[in-house]
Amino acid sequence: METRISTYKGYTEARKKANAKYETEKIERVSLALPKGKKSELKSCAEKQGESMNRFIINAIDERTRRLKEKHLYWVSFIISFSEDSKPQPISLTDACLSIEEAKEKVLYQRKNYNVLSAWIDTYYGEEKETVFHECYLNFFGDIKKPE
């Protein structure tokens, strides 16, 4: 077996210059002020994902930015009781809302006109569903809390 001799000469001036050039052309730096404990929380989460803390933060920013750039649609669903002795019925509105405020207005409208037991609003990011609002309007005794 042939023995190979390393040509590595350590950290040279050429390497230092190349790193500085890369840093100048390709990297932007930002300083973060985090509440006490947040740094260790980020580091722990990053380690669980097998990422550096820097990569974890960049991925989180990229995901949040992607979501903000997408046009969101909000879907409203309810569980309604049409009478005292009827079984609760799940109802989903077929028209999407363009804002969370519009969706909440639809929830309030339904609550004023029907016995709404529970309501929730979902949005989708690609195929990933996220519930962004959920309220239950029954108290401990089964009485429906009416809107104010």
Side-chain angles (χ1 to χ4, degrees):
M1 182 155 100
E2 182 181 330
T3 304
R4 297 177 78 177
I5 300 173
S6 173
T7 58
Y8 180 70
K9 296 178 180 160
Y11 190 70
T12 65
E13 282 300 315
R15 171 57 32 216
K16 184 177 179 181
K17 186 176 177 182
N19 286 356
K21 181 180 179 195
Y22 179 84
E23 179 95 16
T24 302
E25 293 176 359
K26 307 285 185 185
I27 303 293
E28 292 181 311
R29 296 206 173 266
V30 64
S31 176
L32 293 175
L34 302 171
K36 286 276 188 202
K38 184 58 82 175
K39 182 178 175 182
S40 61
E41 181 183 339
L42 287 171
K43 185 176 182 182
S44 175
C45 289
E47 287 172 354
K48 288 177 184 174
Q49 295 296 317
E51 300 172 336
S52 68
M53 195 165 63
N54 191 66
R55 173 52 45 205
F56 183 81
I57 292 169
I58 289 170
N59 287 345
I61 292 169
D62 287 348
E63 176 64 17
R64 178 71 188 256
T65 303
R66 180 187 65 79
R67 288 180 177 197
L68 290 172
K69 286 180 180 178
E70 290 178 352
K71 183 177 182 181
H72 287 357
L73 295 177
Y74 297 90
W75 302 90
V76 182
S77 300
F78 307 93
I79 296 178
I80 294 177
S81 176
F82 290 102
S83 67
E84 292 275 332
D85 54 349
S86 71
K87 289 176 72 174
Q89 300 290 317
I91 307 288
S92 292
L93 298 181
T94 56
D95 294 333
C97 301
L98 296 177
S99 71
I100 189 76
E101 293 79 16
E102 179 187 358
K104 285 183 177 181
E105 286 175 16
K106 291 192 184 252
V107 169
L108 186 58
Y109 174 82
Q110 295 296 327
R111 288 191 62 213
K112 287 180 178 178
N113 293 288
Y114 300 98
N115 292 322
V116 176
L117 308 179
S118 182
W120 61 96
I121 301 169
D122 297 322
T123 190
Y124 291 85
Y125 302 102
E127 294 185 23
E128 179 183 335
K129 178 176 90 167
E130 181 178 337
T131 299
V132 294
F133 172 87
H134 182 230
E135 286 189 344
C136 182
Y137 305 110
L138 290 176
N139 67 15
F140 181 75
F141 303 104
D143 298 324
I144 298 173
K145 177 183 165 192
K146 290 294 182 185
E148 298 167 4

